[in-house]
Amino acid sequence: KPGEQKHPKEPSSSQCMHLAVVACGDRLEETLIMLKSAVLFSNRRLCFHIFAEDSLKPEFEKKLKEWPSSYTKKFESNIYPITFSVGNAQEWKKLFKPCAAQRLFLPVILKDVDSLLYVDTDVLFLRPIDDIWHLLREFNSTQLAAMAPEHEIPKIGWYSRFARHPYYGTTGINSGVMLMNLTRIRSAQFKNSLIPGGLSWEEMLYPLYQKYKNYITWGDQDLLNIIFYFNPECLYVFPCQWNYRPDHCMYGSNCRGAEEEGVSILHGNRGVYHDDKQPTFKALYEVIRDFPFEDNLFQSLYYPLQSKFLDTVHTLCGRIPQVFLKQIEKTMKKVYENRVIVYLGANHRY
């Protein structure tokens, strides 16, 4: 906006919010629905960085071109092959889920990108990416990445009960939503369990993997936990509503931030968009998937969602529909108001 002062910590590439995802195997549709949720609600321009197997590249290009121009003008997309700069590529590729380890190499590959939001394919945005992007301004001088805790309650958390390697904090961190200042990551020296001095991000990855590979269960997420265990001052921890998973409601509601503000980013891990174990997660996925781009958000997205939720009230997560609906309703009101104001502004010159 003219005359508006930039915050000193705003990333230099402020004209574009960078969003990265890694898609292999059968993750094409899921990734496209995630990108759709990003475009539906965001205000500022988006730059997509899609890392995909060669066979998926033409599919992504074709599908994204089919979106209406009112949406395609809101983003640009780059599609990259899967590559690993250090160590054994086949070993990295097979770590945990196909290609998931690619995210560890983003600071090395995207050399010209200052800051980046990485998400798993099974993520849905229920509010503008702008809002999580603003958290970059909250980093102090040592923080270079942000993630949410893996769990809120240590006694039922996975890491606190089963991990055989070091992990961050009391319950570990979940890497499905990861905000990164890549410039800082590239220039930092990281403390580690390998040598007394520090190592750069790229130097550290493969030796660290070799040291702990017999103890890790969740692949690259475990490596990130190990890195931030040794470098806790480098991590900004954001609250659970920015990475809301079935674990937050299937053992009773244990994400206070979501109860107060509503879910900001939904993370349907454990395949819950595609089975019937968590119908509330599936309902959100299907409604965003089926939403015709140019339609009215309330009529074609919010009302179908409300009626689908009525069928899930008997489930553990379905008992708290307001948690899922609060933020998306607020977001849609804003989008609607912006469109009306833009429309009126175009027809009435003040």
Side-chain angles (χ1 to χ4, degrees):
K1 288 173 196 168
E4 191 177 66
Q5 278 198 313
K6 262 192 193 168
H7 191 285
K9 285 184 185 171
E10 180 75 5
S12 58
S13 51
S14 55
Q15 71 282 9
C16 192
M17 298 181 293
H18 295 270
L19 178 66
V21 65
V22 179
C24 284
D26 59 358
R27 298 300 179 119
L28 176 78
E29 183 195 70
E30 209 173 69
T31 307
L32 287 163
I33 310 305
M34 179 277 289
L35 296 172
K36 183 179 183 181
S37 73
V39 171
L40 278 180
F41 301 132
S42 289
N43 302 313
R44 234 162 64 193
R45 187 170 174 74
L46 291 159
C47 288
F48 295 151
H49 301 276
I50 303 164
F51 290 81
E53 287 174 307
D54 296 344
S55 59
L56 293 179
K57 185 180 177 181
E59 286 293 307
F60 272 114
E61 287 170 345
K62 176 173 165 272
K63 296 282 186 193
L64 290 170
K65 278 191 188 122
E66 287 168 5
W67 289 5
S69 62
S70 55
Y71 287 92
T72 55
K73 68 182 183 198
K74 288 176 72 177
F75 69 88
E76 60 187 68
S77 57
N78 302 287
I79 303 171
Y80 309 83
I82 302 292
T83 51
F84 304 99
S85 62
V86 290
N88 178 327
Q90 283 314 106
E91 217 172 349
W92 283 122
K93 204 166 179 181
K94 288 199 215 90
L95 182 63
F96 185 46
K97 284 183 182 163
C99 311
Q102 180 71 75
R103 84 180 94 183
L104 297 171
F105 294 88
L106 297 177
V108 183
I109 298 166
L110 300 174
K111 285 189 165 59
D112 298 329
V113 175
D114 175 66
S115 294
L116 179 79
L117 177 65
Y118 163 86
V119 294
D120 284 349
T121 59
D122 53 9
V123 153
L124 292 170
F125 294 95
L126 306 187
R127 69 190 283 182
I129 288 187
D130 311 58
D131 297 342
I132 191 168
W133 193 255
H134 288 321
L135 295 181
L136 287 161
R137 301 174 178 189
E138 313 234 328
F139 285 17
N140 67 23
S141 60
T142 61
Q143 289 164 339
L144 43 75
M147 284 180 265
E150 171 63 21
H151 220 286
E152 304 307 300
I153 304 164
K155 67 171 186 255
I156 51 175
W158 193 90
Y159 284 104
S160 35
R161 289 185 298 160
F162 305 118
R164 295 163 61 209
H165 58 76
Y167 58 89
Y168 178 89
T170 51
T171 58
I173 39 171
N174 183 284
S175 58
V177 179
M178 188 172 165
L179 188 62
M180 293 180 273
N181 183 321
L182 299 184
T183 304
R184 287 187 179 182
I185 290 174
R186 285 187 285 263
S187 60
Q189 291 287 304
F190 292 88
K191 298 188 290 293
N192 57 82
S193 57
L194 304 163
I195 62 162
L199 286 170
S200 75
W201 184 267
E202 191 176 15
E203 287 168 341
M204 172 177 61
L205 290 177
Y206 195 62
L208 208 58
Y209 166 65
Q210 286 298 326
K211 176 167 181 176
Y212 290 104
K213 68 178 177 184
N214 295 328
Y215 303 103
I216 59 181
T217 305
W218 307 112
D220 46 305
Q221 177 171 291
D222 289 349
L223 281 176
L224 289 163
N225 265 285
I226 294 163
I227 290 167
F228 290 108
Y229 167 83
F230 289 108
N231 300 272
E233 72 287 353
C234 294
L235 191 69
Y236 175 98
V237 179
F238 50 69
C240 47
Q241 67 265 29
W242 293 103
N243 184 348
Y244 190 89
R245 284 157 276 128
D247 285 10
H248 288 120
C249 49
M250 59 195 266
Y251 306 112
S253 182
N254 61 48
C255 174
R256 190 172 293 162
E259 286 171 27
E260 289 166 6
E261 285 184 34
V263 173
S264 296
I265 295 180
L266 192 75
H267 183 183
N269 64 347
R270 304 172 181 263
V272 293
Y273 297 147
H274 313 292
D275 62 28
D276 296 314
K277 288 181 181 155
Q278 300 296 343
T280 37
F281 281 76
K282 192 178 184 182
L284 264 157
Y285 178 79
E286 289 178 346
V287 163
I288 293 173
R289 179 193 68 194
D290 298 341
F291 172 69
F293 272 105
E294 306 281 28
D295 273 24
N296 176 292
L297 281 164
F298 280 98
Q299 217 170 323
S300 304
L301 200 152
Y302 191 69
Y303 298 138
L305 192 56
Q306 276 188 315
S307 60
K308 270 180 185 270
F309 271 21
L310 288 174
D311 300 333
T312 74
V313 289
H314 62 285
T315 66
L316 285 166
C317 295
R319 287 180 309 179
I320 45 170
Q322 71 286 359
V323 165
F324 295 88
L325 294 170
K326 193 183 280 189
Q327 194 57 243
I328 197 167
E329 183 182 9
K330 204 166 139 187
T331 298
M332 286 194 295
K333 274 187 180 146
K334 271 192 199 151
V335 171
Y336 179 71
E337 282 161 13
N338 289 346
R339 281 189 195 157
V340 169
I341 290 161
V342 167
Y343 176 75
L344 287 174
N347 289 291
H348 300 83
R349 304 228 175 262
Y350 296 108

